[in-house]
Amino acid sequence: QVQLVESGGGLVPPGDSLRLSCEPSEGTLNGYSVGWFRQAPGKEREFVAANKWSGGSTIYYADSVKGRFTMTRVNAKNTVYLQLNSLKAEDTAVYYCAAGRRLISSSLRLPRQWDYWGPGTQVTVSS
């Protein structure tokens, strides 16, 4: 079992950047696929990016963030990062880190397939 904690959210103007971090307060991320999701007010939780444990360094991205967001996994630090660049107002949401063991590529984008979630960190993009 693993307990996740996100950090790094904040209020920034459009075009600015943020770096989110996800690390376990208990347990290790070794052996887990790790993903980032976000949820805006009144909307469903949506996929942002993910790395399969068995997939090496391959990162899957949502089309809406491809080219602007970068997910990095540093196993030596037991930490996963999400670099958010060129932020837009529509990126405003609570960002969640998730971990799971039995995930296949076709299920990475489905929140219900993930086993563990952090409490989330708020990202607000506004001038």
Side-chain angles (χ1 to χ4, degrees):
Q1 189 169 355
V2 61
Q3 294 187 5
L4 304 171
V5 178
E6 306 93 340
S7 61
L11 170 63
V12 296
D16 219 357
S17 298
L18 281 172
R19 189 177 80 159
L20 308 183
S21 300
C22 170
E23 54 188 335
S25 60
E26 189 173 307
T28 174
L29 292 177
N30 289 341
Y32 286 93
S33 298
V34 184
W36 287 96
F37 289 77
R38 66 186 182 184
Q39 189 166 17
K43 294 189 175 181
E44 293 188 353
R45 193 165 298 190
E46 66 172 359
F47 171 78
V48 175
N51 168 248
K52 275 177 53 183
W53 175 250
S54 61
S57 59
T58 300
I59 307 293
Y60 301 83
Y61 292 99
D63 288 342
S64 58
V65 307
K66 205 172 292 185
R68 299 189 300 122
F69 293 6
T70 302
M71 178 178 174
T72 307
R73 182 173 190 157
V74 183
N75 291 328
K77 292 188 174 182
N78 206 21
T79 303
V80 176
Y81 301 98
L82 185 68
Q83 178 70 37
L84 288 63
N85 294 332
S86 303
L87 282 162
K88 306 174 182 179
E90 51 263 44
D91 294 319
T92 295
V94 177
Y95 284 70
Y96 298 92
C97 179
R101 283 198 181 273
R102 290 171 293 276
L103 287 149
I104 57 176
S105 300
S106 60
S107 65
L108 290 173
R109 289 168 168 76
L110 304 175
R112 65 177 182 270
Q113 298 295 329
W114 295 80
D115 301 316
Y116 305 105
W117 293 86
T121 185
Q122 176 71 47
V123 171
T124 303
V125 185
S126 175
S127 54

